[in-house]
Amino acid sequence: MADTVRLRHEQPASAPSSPSASGRLLLVQHDREPAGALGRHLRAEGYAVDLAYTGPDALEQTQARDFDAVLLDMVLPGVDGHQVCRILRERDRWVPVLMLTALDDVADRIRGLDAGADDYLSKPFDLGELLARLRALIRRGPSERPAPMQVGELRADPLTRVVNWSGHDSELTPREYDLLTFMMRRPGQLVSRSQLLEQVWSAGYSGSPNVVDVYVGYLRRKLEQPSHPRLIRTVRGAGFVLDAR
């Protein structure tokens, strides 16, 4: 099998290891040769498998029919795996998504999970592990849309990172969203810069603490309106207070 998948313990396509497996899968992979080989292994296990080779093709197929799970490569032409997953969730398509990627990087994994993926598997992977993860996802069934967070009239959608304040929608970056929602969990409470650096950045962050003020400034420019009271209040020398009502 081609190096882009590299299953570590291949089994003959005629010898299923779990004959009770069933369900319809969408396998999304840009490289046709390894996609075809993996598809044959999955069919030998009892699954019906449809193939897609681009992001737009995957989105079109998930609109046209229901799947029990989607195996989604991160690297795709046109629309990458992260975007495909996010668009699926925005369309209220909650089919379980298993991300497949050769990018074994924590930040990349976080990005995939934040986009709405249910699980993650790095290449090269063991076929037995892939099958076990698929069975677990299919048993679990479609995930539920995460509930928006609401504090007074401030509403934050964890899926789209769209925040509504005073009737105005704003789309936030991941860092802006994490900063705001950390404060939303503590409305009316003083939150220090050191708390924000530790919880929103990391305990090992070694840059300037002024980065917090910079991002609070970004939030104010995106969310606050001249005709409305200030949403985030600065307490000089201490930190910030979210005054959502």
Side-chain angles (χ1 to χ4, degrees), residues 55-56 72-85 99 111:
L72 181 60
D73 201 344
M74 283 195 183
V75 181
L76 296 170
V79 180
D80 70 17
H82 295 113
Q83 293 172 292
V84 169
C85 195
M99 284 278 199
R111 186 182 169 211

Side-chain angles (χ1 to χ4, degrees), residues 197 201 205-213:
L197 284 172
W201 277 260
Y205 177 77
S206 58
S208 170
N210 290 337
V211 70
V212 175
D213 299 76

Side-chain angles (χ1 to χ4, degrees), residues 6-12 41 124-129 131:
R6 301 206 318 265
L7 299 180
R8 282 200 284 261
H9 297 297
E10 295 187 5
Q11 299 174 1
H41 280 284
F125 50 76
D126 184 279
L127 179 60
E129 182 180 3
L131 295 171

Side-chain angles (χ1 to χ4, degrees), residues 87-147:
I87 293 169
L88 284 176
R89 300 323 189 201
E90 288 171 354
R91 291 177 176 176
D92 281 334
R93 303 293 285 178
W94 296 98
V95 55
V97 173
L98 174 59
M99 284 278 199
L100 305 175
T101 181
L103 304 174
D104 191 15
D105 179 82
V106 173
D108 200 64
R109 271 180 268 171
I110 292 171
R111 186 182 169 211
L113 294 170
D114 283 346
D118 298 276
D119 201 357
Y120 183 104
L121 193 57
S122 297
K123 302 174 187 176
F125 50 76
D126 184 279
L127 179 60
E129 182 180 3
L130 172 66
L131 295 171
R133 287 175 183 262
L134 272 176
R135 290 193 295 270
L137 284 178
I138 291 173
R139 281 197 305 270
R140 191 186 311 164
S143 56
E144 295 183 1
R145 191 185 202 282

Side-chain angles (χ1 to χ4, degrees), residues 16-79:
S17 61
S18 52
S20 61
S22 64
R24 178 168 290 278
L25 308 176
L26 178 63
L27 173 58
V28 189
Q29 166 114 12
H30 72 283
D31 196 324
R32 290 174 181 260
E33 184 180 346
L38 180 55
R40 288 192 293 275
H41 280 284
L42 293 169
R43 291 186 187 102
E45 295 295 328
Y47 294 105
V49 181
D50 292 355
L51 298 175
Y53 303 106
T54 68
D57 186 17
L59 291 169
E60 183 177 338
Q61 292 200 49
T62 52
Q63 282 290 96
R65 82 178 345 157
D66 292 328
F67 294 94
D68 294 287
V70 175
L71 284 75
L72 181 60
D73 201 344
M74 283 195 183
V75 181
L76 296 170
V79 180

